[in-house]
Amino acid sequence: MFMAHMGKRPAISTNNLLMNSHTDVVPVEPSTVSSWVHPPYSGHYDGTYLWGRGTCDDKADLISIMIAVDSLLKQGFQPRRTLVLAFGIDEESAGVQGAGHIAKHLEEAYGRGSFALILDEGEPFSTPYGGNVVFANPYVTEKGYFDLRIEVSTPGGHSSIPPPHTAIGILALAIAELEAHPHQPQLLRNGTFFQEVQCAAAHGPHVSTEFRKLAKAAIDDDTALERLTKLLLEHIPMSVAKLATTQAVDLISGGVKVNALPERAYAVVNHRIAEQSSVAALQGRIAEIISTVAERHDLTLNAFGRTVFTGSNGCVSLSDAFDTALEPAPVTPTRDSPAYALLAGTIVAALRGSHNVSDVVVQPTYALGNTDTQFYWNLSRNIFRYAHVPADAYYNSLHTINEAIKPTALVEKIGFLTMLVLNWDESSMF
Ligand SMILES: [Zn+2]
């Protein structure tokens, strides 16, 4: 679903604003229903929290966007520019039917690059380094995505006369080979995570002196960069996901009966592709690693539509399991960027006005998952994923039991979104 409020000057086609959220939710695992403090579809308000699946992801954005815009219009607000609200219906299952179609329509109606800024769901703000300094973390890029299918086909037969390795055995060897070659974490000076680390070191009140010094030295000293990478990996376990492509073997299947040699076995390996890599680079690396197994067992290797070599004992095929390959998202510029200045300035103004904080730091960061914005790359260079709510507004987390949010946080979000719309429409920067 999408709604557009045409501006008074719709002829100017590069300064539109798009605010996105999604209406779908992840399911509730039936066996966990009894673990909820209040039932997952009750919408119960207990005086502090509003309970239910979707309250945090992503109804908070959906409701806040609608209330902010509705109340502006009721007060006679007439934007000079065109404001678009888009609500996906299947973000939790890839977004093709919702945002996928909305994106096509918006590109036809408004053109490529027609949005000055796109805002979608993201992280809440918090005080991770103490000292009452609030860090707000808009995501400026997202990791890429690739599900690898490894399929091994070998001749069948009776299990009483088996070859040394069945299709399942060879598949297991291929998986072991992949896991023996994890992607190496790399902290790149031109990468988003390096900038995030620099920002924490410069503005985090209670970061260690060692971290602060290393981060500063790492700007032009390679040894310091190496030590900083080690420090991050040791102390922040999730750093590895920000520094490297990750791989997780998630599905496996093969064989039909215990006295029949399996003629086919397959596994699916989920990958989240690092900012510095690409789908093609990842596929090339996988083909190289698996080729050693295929060659050793005299199997034909078909890698992503190309026959790498021919063997006589069967075949290993590598493919995109569900045709869902996605490149890492283009990095939204933050230097000399009017859109970033607009967003960051609005965040700072909103937080200084509503919280008793000593400082506000806007720290661009890197999303490990994907949002509906994966369809919006053609519409704007300035895509931000950010939730203007305090982290403690959530009772628990997203996608799990006890999803609940403090409605006071929604009031704050509505205030922020209202300010963003007004600042965008008044700004002379676009
Ligand atoms: Zn979501």
Side-chain angles (χ1 to χ4, degrees):
M1 177 167 85
F2 89 99
M3 291 180 258
H5 192 289
M6 300 302 282
K8 282 189 274 184
R9 294 193 310 190
I12 304 166
S13 60
T14 57
N15 55 17
N16 308 322
L17 172 65
L18 170 58
M19 296 201 286
N20 191 80
S21 71
H22 61 90
T23 59
D24 60 313
V25 296
V26 292
V28 174
E29 165 62 46
S31 66
T32 65
V33 171
S34 60
S35 308
W36 284 66
V37 176
H38 297 288
Y41 295 108
S42 64
H44 178 72
Y45 177 53
D46 65 7
T48 308
Y49 289 98
L50 185 62
W51 294 83
R53 172 59 84 233
T55 47
C56 305
D57 180 9
D58 188 29
K59 309 289 188 194
D61 286 317
L62 183 77
I63 301 296
S64 304
I65 290 171
M66 290 204 284
I67 293 177
V69 175
D70 186 50
S71 64
L72 276 168
L73 296 177
K74 276 185 181 145
Q75 290 168 65
F77 171 67
Q78 290 231 316
R80 293 187 300 149
R81 297 155 177 179
T82 296
L83 172 62
V84 176
L85 313 183
F87 306 132
I89 51 164
D90 57 348
E91 193 274 345
E92 303 292 2
S93 45
V96 178
Q97 300 301 325
H101 283 102
I102 292 172
K104 273 186 211 139
H105 172 79
L106 293 179
E107 198 176 331
E108 277 165 28
Y110 301 99
R112 283 174 88 99
S114 50
F115 288 83
L117 194 154
I118 296 176
L119 182 69
D120 196 8
E121 61 180 328
E123 281 293 299
F125 57 82
S126 61
T127 52
Y129 309 105
N132 215 17
V133 174
V134 173
F135 276 67
N137 300 104
Y139 292 128
V140 292
T141 185
E142 297 180 353
K143 288 188 97 170
Y145 188 97
F146 183 65
D147 285 322
L148 164 70
R149 181 183 172 102
I150 312 174
E151 183 167 317
V152 180
S153 316
T154 51
H158 200 282
S159 301
S160 57
I161 332 158
H165 298 283
T166 65
I168 292 173
I170 291 164
L171 178 64
L173 292 169
I175 292 170
E177 198 66 15
L178 274 183
E179 291 201 336
H181 295 87
H183 295 253
Q184 287 309 306
Q186 267 186 306
L187 183 58
L188 297 173
R189 290 193 178 99
N190 59 358
T192 304
F193 192 45
F194 187 78
Q195 284 165 32
E196 184 182 336
V197 167
Q198 290 300 327
C199 183
H203 303 289
H206 296 160
V207 299
S208 72
T209 316
E210 184 196 7
F211 172 65
R212 210 184 291 279
K213 278 189 185 160
L214 261 185
K216 204 170 172 199
I219 293 170
D220 47 23
D221 175 346
D222 289 349
T223 315
L225 184 69
E226 240 172 75
R227 283 176 53 208
L228 177 64
T229 310
K230 222 170 141 234
L231 187 85
L232 289 167
L233 290 168
E234 274 169 20
H235 294 276
I236 313 172
M238 75 162 328
S239 297
V240 69
K242 291 201 176 182
L243 294 171
T245 296
T246 55
Q247 59 184 23
V249 185
D250 289 325
L251 297 175
I252 191 157
S253 174
V256 289
K257 202 165 183 302
V258 80
N259 61 356
L261 295 171
E263 287 163 320
R264 195 181 68 114
Y266 75 88
V268 178
V269 188
N270 177 249
H271 293 83
R272 306 299 173 117
I273 308 170
E275 185 182 2
Q276 66 270 18
S277 188
S278 65
V279 173
L282 173 63
Q283 290 182 344
R285 186 180 186 277
I286 293 166
E288 208 178 298
I289 292 170
I290 301 298
S291 69
T292 57
V293 178
E295 223 167 345
R296 208 178 305 141
H297 298 280
D298 193 20
L299 297 159
T300 295
L301 177 63
N302 289 321
F304 313 108
R306 193 171 61 91
T307 303
V308 181
F309 50 77
T310 310
S312 53
N313 283 339
C315 181
V316 181
S317 289
L318 307 176
S319 61
D320 182 345
F322 310 109
D323 282 327
T324 48
L326 178 70
E327 298 290 350
V331 181
T332 299
T334 52
R335 281 174 212 276
D336 306 318
S337 158
Y340 179 66
L342 173 78
L343 180 82
T346 307
I347 292 172
V348 172
L351 287 172
R352 285 217 178 113
S354 67
H355 283 256
N356 185 21
V357 298
S358 50
D359 205 357
V360 180
V361 178
V362 180
Q363 180 191 33
T365 181
Y366 186 176
L368 303 178
N370 299 111
T371 62
D372 274 342
T373 62
Q374 65 181 279
F375 299 99
Y376 295 155
W377 297 352
N378 285 349
L379 297 174
S380 181
R381 291 174 72 209
N382 304 307
I383 300 177
F384 299 99
R385 305 118 182 126
Y386 169 65
H388 191 87
V389 290
D392 66 7
Y394 297 163
Y395 179 88
N396 188 19
S397 186
L398 321 171
H399 291 210
T400 180
I401 59 163
N402 289 325
E403 188 174 346
I405 192 168
K406 291 178 184 166
T408 47
L410 297 190
V411 176
E412 197 165 338
K413 190 194 276 281
I414 292 162
F416 163 75
L417 292 170
T418 305
M419 207 188 285
L420 184 74
V421 170
L422 292 172
N423 287 348
W424 153 75
D425 198 47
E426 282 170 15
S427 172
S428 54
M429 292 191 290
F430 306 111

